[in-house]
């Protein structure tokens, strides 16, 4: 065919480019002259029959190309044609030089005339094989195009639809013919149509196919979003020229939805996995709330907030509330007070108004840290009442599209409310999102409730622990004492560290420091029991080693069942896996200010540190012994003379031990810190350095890398002062009756020298009673000692082992009222064993101090 175009001069004939229909069907021609021989042979005939023109010209076509068995019929047909008859039929042919049949040609013979009027014939030949191929190709193309279950479009080079199949027409309406001449803008939104047009143009220009191009649109008459996967490829003519672009569209909406559901499920599982790893790492309520939001934003929502009950944050004992109770939401008054503890946003640094957050649509956003209530009719208050999540739409003028309001419930107890919001343009919340939000809120609620319970237990243990420590700064005769106790932070459990300063008879002082192994309320209770036992044993005035031996028995009995008298027997009966084991370390020291000697016994604790003026700090060589509760080993006792002005430090391991450095380094740093305050800095050499123990304690705690918070820290420091010699009166009396009068004279003279005449009469009377008892019931030499410090102490020593016992005398008894008289007139009295006997003592307040009132007549008469 030829193409026709119009110009200013008229019609111009142009030759057709290669690729016409004749190229496909391979039409050949030749002519037969009046003599029945070939006189014209076209090039296509040469291609079809494989015979060049020079070999075919002048030959009989029947003889040359037809098999021998059909030649007779062939001659008849040629004769009829030359007689002027037209003929169309199938003719077998073979290539010259071969005897076998090569194929069948469809031939159309038209009679013709020569210039001289003789009859001839023009033959048009088509290879039947080519026709069959065309028929097969057309049938296949029609089957693919017309019977395809997918939408099929053919775009011309101008990117308009030249053909559409019925499937496409079924989806987009009309018949297949109705879509001819349309463009993609007739089916898609402008952004999607522009993207599709760009892809079509690229395929047409480059020939590179496009596979699985994702297109989003809507079917006419509906608003449902559909997803199509489009494959584009360029279509060529037989000669290879591009004639358009074919497009195959597959509706993958279900596949897309399934993939989205699968992606959401994977995202939800990942979020839950992340929530399990990140939420609850802290025992702080606010930190746990922030951990929840760190997981949710922006992975699950665009912004979120957490409100916790104010009562929960302030440490109320009662549970924050149960859904449906008036505790949560008052009758008409709205919710209980809540505090906004956390807020997170991927779109704004400040809270956004949801429009319905407070139920009236007009209130502004709630700031972090503010305490507020939700009105009774608000969705938030309703969620708190019912304990069920609610969805509320964003208000006018808000960037929020929708919000999930989820109560935080742990063990049927409401602890607060969390709100997850998505802004406009984000995918709306679905049922899976709702379930995920409830799960996230529940996990955070459990962690928050656990933190609340832990904080309550921690505070109780801390209160118990602090109640068992000495109140304020303890005082002791001959000692300047300072102490520090730093409990672990809320991130760590309460420990069992304790210290104590116990006044003993004779102005002596017991210094105690210990540490129960383990943490929590159990350790605090064990510490309290051991501290009480230490105080009780100290009143018996036992030697330090004896005190620790008794404590060891007590510690081994703490884990035994009720009624078990011997811990070893209990352990054997129950088995070690059923009985608790309480282990503790302890240092018990007794200091005598008269002799400035201190006796130490150690049960597995760190050694005391002594700093003598002008010398380096050193660890006292006190045998450590086994910890309390182990049993089986006796404790050794060491007595050390402490110089005047020396500094004695007792401490627990939290001060010198941490995970970052070994114990030896901590002890070395501790000794250095103790020695530093005594050395003036060159920069301030003109100013005397401060030597107060309070400054030394502060210096030690600020200098050492204590890693405070990992463990409790107890520090007990004492500066040795001793009693001056003029504050001590010490006499030895022979064992004879006149020693009673001598004792009164010595006491009177010493009190007069001390300007304590107001106590002379009382002291004379009581000294007379004690010396008389020593003569009557004691043994050996008698020793009288008076000590003046904050109080007056009188001691009478003898070698007898029988301890005095106070009893009530009968009316007819002539004696037995001496100890009653001592008990009435003294502030306190008692007796204790000594290495060579016993000591009976009494104590009186000084006249300028608040003393015990004088005994009444009735009290005196009650002795008779």
């Amino acid at each position: 065919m030829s193409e026709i175009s119009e110009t200013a001069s008229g019609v111009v004939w142009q030759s057709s480019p290669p690729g016409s229909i004749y190229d496909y069907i391979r039409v050949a021609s030749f002519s037969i002259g009046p003599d029945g021989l070939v006189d014209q042979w076209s090039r296509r005939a040469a291609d079809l029959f494989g015979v060049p023109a020079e070999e075919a010209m002048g030959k009989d076509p029947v003889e040359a190309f037809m098999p021998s068995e059909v030649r007779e019929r062939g001659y008849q047909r040629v004769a009829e044609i030359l007689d002027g008859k037209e003929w169309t039929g199938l003719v077998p042919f073979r290539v010259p030089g071969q005897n076998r049949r090569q194929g069948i040609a469809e031939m159309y013979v038209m009679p013709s005339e020569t210039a001289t009027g003789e009859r001839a014939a023009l033959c048009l030949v088509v290879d039947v094989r080519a026709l069959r191929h065309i028929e097969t190709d057309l049938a296949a193309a029609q089957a693919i195009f017309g019977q395809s279950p997918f939408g099929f479009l053919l775009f011309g080079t101008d990117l308009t639809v030249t053909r559409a199949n019925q499937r496409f027409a079924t989806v987009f309406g009309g018949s297949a013919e109705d879509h001819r001449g349309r463009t993609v803008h007739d089916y898609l939104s402008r952004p999607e149509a522009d993207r599709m047009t760009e892809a079509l143009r690229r395929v047409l220009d480059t020939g590179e196919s496009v596979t699985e191009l994702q297109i989003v649109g809507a079917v006419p008459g509906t608003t449902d979003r559909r997803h199509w996967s489009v494959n584009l490829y360029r279509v060529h003519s037989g000669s290879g020229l591009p004639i358009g672009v074919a497009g195959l569209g597959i509706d993958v909406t279900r596949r897309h939805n399934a993939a989205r559901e699968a992606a959401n499920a994977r995202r939800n599982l990942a979020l839950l996995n992340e929530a399990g790893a990140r939420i609850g790492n802290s025992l702080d309520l606010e930190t746990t709330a922030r951990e929840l939001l760190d997981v949710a934003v922006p992975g699950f929502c665009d912004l979120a907030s957490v409100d916790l009950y104010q009562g929960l944050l302030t440490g109320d004992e009662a549970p924050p509330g149960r859904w449906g109770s008036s505790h949560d939401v008052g009758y008409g008054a709205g919710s209980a007070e809540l505090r906004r503890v956390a807020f997170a946003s991927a779109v704004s640094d400040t809270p956004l108004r949801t429009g319905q957050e407070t139920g009236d649509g007009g209130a502004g956003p709630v700031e972090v840290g503010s305490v507020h209530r939700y009105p009774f009719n608000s969705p938030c208050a309703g969620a708190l009442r019912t304990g069920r999540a609610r969805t509320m739409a964003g208000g006018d003028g808000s960037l929020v599209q929708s919000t999930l309001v989820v109560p935080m419930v742990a063990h049927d107890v409401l602890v607060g409310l969390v709100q997850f919001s998505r802004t406009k343009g984000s995918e709306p919340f679905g049922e899976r999102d709702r379930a995920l939000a409830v799960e996230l809120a529940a996990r955070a609620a459990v962690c928050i409730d656990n933190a609340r319970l832990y904080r309550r237990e921690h505070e109780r243990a801390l209160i118990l622990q602090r109640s068992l420590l000495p109140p304020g700064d303890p005082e002791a005769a001959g000692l300047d004492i300072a102490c520090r106790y730093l409990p672990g932070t809320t991130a760590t459990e309460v420990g069992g560290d304790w210290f104590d300063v116990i006044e003993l008879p004779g102005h002596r002082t017991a210094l105690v420091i210990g540490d129960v192994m383990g943490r929590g309320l159990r350790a605090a209770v064990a510490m309290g029991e051991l501290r009480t036992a230490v105080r009780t044993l100290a009143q018996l005035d036992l030697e330090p080693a004896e005190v620790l031996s008794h404590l060891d028995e007590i510690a081994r009995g703490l884990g035994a069942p009720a009624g078990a008298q011997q811990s070893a027997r209990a352990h054997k009966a129950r088995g070690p896996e059923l009985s608790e084991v309480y282990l503790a370390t302890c240092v018990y020291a007794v200091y005598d200010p008269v002799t400035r000697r201190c006796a130490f016994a150690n049960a597995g604790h760190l050694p005391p540190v002594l700093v003598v003026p002008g010398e380096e700090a050193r660890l006292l060589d006190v045998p450590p012994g086994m910890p309390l509760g182990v049993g089986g080993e006796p404790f050794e006792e060491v007595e050390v003379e402490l110089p005047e002005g020396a500094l004695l430090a007792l401490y627990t391991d939290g001060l010198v031990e941490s995970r970052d450095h070994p114990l030896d380094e901590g002890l070395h740093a501790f000794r250095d810190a103790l020695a530093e305050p005594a050395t003036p800095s060159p920069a301030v050499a003109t100013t005397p350095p401060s030597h107060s123990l309070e400054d030394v304690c502060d210096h030690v705690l600020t200098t050492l890398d204590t890693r405070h918070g990992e463990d409790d820290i107890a520090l007990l420091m004492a500066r040795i002062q001793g009693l001056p010699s003029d504050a001590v009166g010490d006499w030895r009396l022979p064992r004879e009756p006149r020693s009673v009068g001598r004792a009164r004279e010595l006491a009177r003279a010493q009190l007069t020298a001390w300007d304590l005449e107001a106590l002379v009469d009382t002291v004379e009377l009581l000294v007379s009673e004690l010396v008389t008892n020593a003569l009557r019931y004691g043994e050996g030499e008698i020793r009288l000692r008076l000590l003046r410090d904050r109080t007056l102490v009188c001691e009478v020593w003898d070698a007898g082992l029988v301890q005095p016992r106070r009893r009530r005398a009968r009316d007819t008894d002539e004696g037995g009222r001496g100890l009653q008289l001592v008990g009435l007139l003294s502030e306190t009295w008692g007796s204790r064993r000594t290495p060579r006997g016993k000591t009976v003592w009494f104590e009186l307040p000084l006249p300028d101090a608040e003393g015990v009132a004088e005994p009444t007549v009735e009290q005196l008469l009650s002795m008779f």
Side-chain angles (χ1 to χ4, degrees):
M1 295 178 63
S2 296
E3 295 182 355
I4 304 175
S5 62
E6 295 185 2
T7 63
S9 58
V11 177
V12 177
W13 293 84
Q14 299 177 349
S15 60
S16 299
S20 65
I21 187 63
Y22 300 106
D23 293 327
Y24 287 103
I25 62 177
R26 301 178 64 186
V27 177
S29 65
F30 65 92
S31 60
I32 301 176
D35 55 1
L37 303 177
V38 176
D39 62 359
Q40 187 179 18
W41 192 258
S42 68
R43 292 180 180 178
R44 292 204 177 207
D47 294 337
L48 176 63
F49 296 105
V51 178
E54 57 270 18
E55 295 182 8
M57 294 293 289
K59 290 188 177 181
D60 183 349
V62 175
E63 185 70 26
F65 305 114
M66 297 183 69
S68 57
E69 62 270 16
V70 295
R71 287 177 183 172
E72 181 178 354
R73 185 180 298 176
Y75 284 124
Q76 294 176 357
R77 295 297 182 190
V78 171
E80 292 175 355
I81 292 169
L82 291 178
D83 286 340
K85 291 183 178 179
E86 292 185 3
W87 181 81
T88 300
L90 298 178
V91 178
F93 69 90
R94 63 178 180 81
V95 177
Q98 296 184 9
N99 295 324
R100 63 185 181 86
R101 181 178 301 175
Q102 295 294 320
I104 298 176
E106 183 173 318
M107 184 177 297
Y108 175 55
V109 182
M110 295 177 292
S112 63
E113 292 181 358
T114 63
T116 60
E118 293 180 301
R119 294 182 177 178
L122 176 62
C123 300
L124 298 178
V125 183
V126 177
D127 190 346
V128 173
R129 293 174 301 173
L131 292 178
R132 295 294 180 267
H133 283 316
I134 291 176
E135 289 177 357
T136 302
D137 291 344
L138 288 176
Q142 182 61 32
I144 295 173
F145 197 82
Q147 301 174 20
S148 172
F150 311 118
F152 221 128
L153 286 177
L154 183 62
F155 296 92
T157 54
D158 58 353
L159 303 186
T160 61
V161 177
T162 60
R163 188 175 179 186
N165 69 346
Q166 187 58 41
R167 176 59 182 170
F168 183 85
T170 301
V171 174
F172 286 92
S175 63
E177 292 297 324
D178 295 336
H179 295 278
R180 290 183 181 272
R182 295 185 179 180
T183 66
V184 293
H185 287 81
D186 296 319
Y187 308 106
L188 304 175
S189 62
R190 185 177 182 85
E192 291 292 278
D194 291 342
R195 197 160 63 90
M196 180 74 172
T197 300
E198 176 65 24
L200 287 169
R201 196 176 306 281
R202 185 170 64 253
V203 171
L204 187 62
D205 294 341
T206 64
E208 297 179 359
S209 301
V210 172
T211 58
E212 297 186 1
L213 175 65
Q214 301 298 315
I215 297 296
V216 179
V219 174
T222 66
T223 57
D224 296 338
R225 289 167 58 91
R226 310 297 295 178
H227 295 263
W228 293 286
S229 176
V230 178
N231 298 306
L232 302 175
Y233 58 93
R234 191 168 67 181
V235 179
H236 303 84
S237 65
S239 61
L241 290 179
I243 60 174
V245 177
L248 175 65
I250 303 173
D251 191 334
V252 293
T253 303
R254 292 185 178 180
R255 186 197 308 171
H256 177 81
N257 293 339
R260 184 180 62 183
E261 290 293 324
N264 289 340
R266 288 193 298 270
R267 181 202 63 183
N268 293 353
L269 289 175
L271 279 174
L272 290 177
N273 183 59
E274 184 181 5
R278 297 179 60 180
I279 299 177
N281 293 323
S282 169
L283 290 173
D284 180 72
L285 303 181
E286 290 83 353
T287 301
T288 302
R290 288 192 294 270
E291 290 171 347
L292 168 62
L293 300 193
D294 290 341
V295 172
V297 179
F300 176 66
C301 60
D302 298 318
L303 62 155
S305 62
V306 176
D307 298 324
L308 298 180
Y309 278 105
Q310 178 69 0
L312 181 145
L313 297 171
T314 55
D316 287 351
E317 289 296 322
R322 297 176 182 270
W323 62 67
S325 67
S326 59
H327 183 83
D328 299 323
V329 181
Y331 296 104
S335 68
E337 286 188 341
L338 298 107
R339 185 194 303 174
R340 177 67 51 87
V341 296
F343 171 79
S345 174
V347 296
S348 174
D349 294 334
T350 58
L352 302 177
R353 177 191 294 180
T354 64
Q356 295 186 15
E357 187 175 37
T358 57
D360 54 10
V366 178
E367 299 293 335
V368 174
S370 62
V371 179
H372 63 96
R373 295 175 182 266
Y374 289 112
F376 184 82
N377 293 324
S378 65
C380 296
L384 290 173
R385 281 196 304 273
T386 62
R388 296 180 180 178
R390 293 193 176 190
T391 304
M392 59 183 185
D396 296 336
S398 173
L399 294 177
V400 176
Q401 177 196 67
S402 61
T403 299
L404 276 175
V405 180
V406 185
M408 303 180 72
V409 182
H411 311 115
D412 292 339
V413 175
L414 282 167
V415 299
L417 187 75
V418 60
Q419 300 183 54
F420 303 102
S421 299
R422 288 181 179 174
T423 56
K424 294 179 179 177
S426 299
E427 186 176 356
F429 288 115
E431 285 302 318
R432 288 182 179 270
D433 297 325
R434 187 187 183 97
L436 176 62
V438 171
E439 179 66 23
L440 290 175
R443 293 196 178 196
V446 170
C447 295
I448 288 174
D449 193 51
N450 290 341
R452 176 183 69 88
L453 296 175
Y454 171 80
R455 184 179 66 179
R456 185 177 65 182
E457 179 181 349
H458 184 274
E459 290 175 351
R460 289 175 176 176
L462 195 58
I463 292 173
L464 172 64
Q465 190 178 45
R466 288 176 174 173
S467 67
L468 297 174
L469 296 175
D473 293 328
E475 296 181 355
L479 292 176
D480 181 16
I481 296 178
C483 52
R484 293 288 187 274
Y485 177 74
L486 302 178
T489 62
T490 54
T492 60
E493 293 188 87
V494 171
D497 295 15
W498 95 91
F499 65 91
D500 208 348
V501 178
I502 307 171
E503 294 187 37
L504 299 178
H507 285 315
R508 294 172 305 132
T509 303
L511 303 175
V512 189
I513 195 162
D515 184 4
V516 176
M517 298 181 186
R519 309 196 64 80
L521 189 59
R522 171 181 176 273
V525 171
M527 178 269 285
E529 293 179 324
L530 292 178
R531 178 181 179 271
T532 302
V534 169
R535 280 192 159 266
T536 302
L537 294 171
Q539 297 306 316
L540 298 177
D541 214 350
L542 303 176
E543 297 298 324
E546 290 183 89
V547 171
L548 292 187
S549 296
H550 287 293
L551 279 180
D552 180 60
E553 290 292 332
I554 293 172
R556 282 187 288 162
L558 290 179
Q565 301 298 322
Q566 297 182 359
S567 59
R569 184 180 303 170
H571 278 275
K572 183 177 180 181
R574 299 175 64 209
E577 72 282 356
L578 298 178
S579 59
E580 296 182 87
V581 178
Y582 286 85
L583 298 179
T585 62
C586 180
V587 169
Y588 186 85
V590 176
Y591 170 70
D592 188 341
V594 179
T595 62
R596 293 200 313 275
R597 297 188 68 82
C598 189
F600 294 93
N602 188 352
H605 201 80
L606 295 172
V609 176
L610 181 65
V611 184
V612 178
E615 300 180 8
E616 293 184 354
R618 63 188 176 91
L619 299 176
L620 292 179
D621 187 13
V622 180
M626 299 298 291
L628 302 176
V630 175
E633 293 292 332
F635 297 98
E636 298 185 45
E637 187 174 313
V638 175
E639 191 172 64
V640 180
E641 185 174 353
L642 305 178
E644 186 76 19
L647 185 65
L648 179 66
L650 305 177
Y651 52 95
T652 56
D653 56 358
L655 184 67
V656 295
E657 188 178 17
S658 74
R659 291 173 293 183
D660 297 333
H661 56 72
L663 178 61
D664 291 342
E665 292 183 9
L667 291 173
H668 182 74
F670 179 43
R671 296 198 302 271
D672 291 343
L674 286 174
E676 285 175 6
T679 304
S681 174
V684 292
T686 58
T687 304
S690 174
H691 292 283
S692 72
L693 280 184
E694 297 294 333
D695 292 341
V696 176
C697 288
D698 293 337
H699 175 76
V700 168
L701 294 178
T702 55
T703 302
L704 296 184
D705 183 15
T706 61
R707 299 288 180 181
H708 178 48
E710 294 183 359
D711 196 2
D712 294 355
I713 295 175
L715 176 63
L716 177 61
M717 305 185 71
R719 177 168 282 124
I720 308 304
Q721 295 176 344
L723 286 181
S725 58
D726 59 358
V728 179
D730 195 351
W731 306 276
R732 297 183 183 272
L733 302 173
R735 189 171 186 79
E736 55 188 27
R738 63 178 181 176
S739 293
V740 177
R742 179 59 180 164
R744 288 197 299 266
E745 293 173 0
L746 293 173
R748 183 188 308 112
Q750 185 65 68
L751 292 177
T752 302
W754 287 341
D755 295 327
L756 298 177
E757 290 84 354
L759 299 179
V760 169
D761 293 339
T762 302
V763 172
E764 280 188 350
L765 175 61
L766 299 184
V767 166
S768 177
E769 291 291 336
L770 294 185
V771 174
T772 299
N773 284 343
L775 288 172
R776 181 176 298 177
Y777 305 108
E779 299 177 6
E781 187 182 39
I782 299 173
R783 181 181 178 186
L784 172 64
R785 189 168 73 169
L786 295 178
L787 306 175
R788 179 177 62 88
D789 191 67
R790 291 173 294 126
T791 62
L792 178 69
V793 174
C794 177
E795 299 175 333
V796 176
W797 306 41
D798 70 79
L801 298 178
V802 178
Q803 297 291 322
R805 182 173 59 90
R806 184 178 177 180
R807 63 185 179 86
R808 188 174 187 87
R810 292 175 294 184
D811 295 343
T812 59
D813 291 342
E814 295 181 359
R817 297 176 178 85
L819 292 181
Q820 292 189 48
L821 188 62
V822 173
L824 282 173
L825 297 181
S826 66
E827 184 175 274
T828 181
W829 77 280
S831 67
R832 68 178 185 274
R833 291 183 302 171
T834 63
R836 292 185 177 88
K838 67 177 179 297
T839 300
V840 183
W841 56 272
F842 66 84
E843 184 174 343
L844 293 173
L846 300 181
D848 57 349
E850 183 180 352
V852 179
E854 291 291 332
T856 64
V857 176
E858 288 77 9
Q859 289 176 324
L860 292 174
L861 291 176
S862 66
M863 295 186 298
F864 299 94

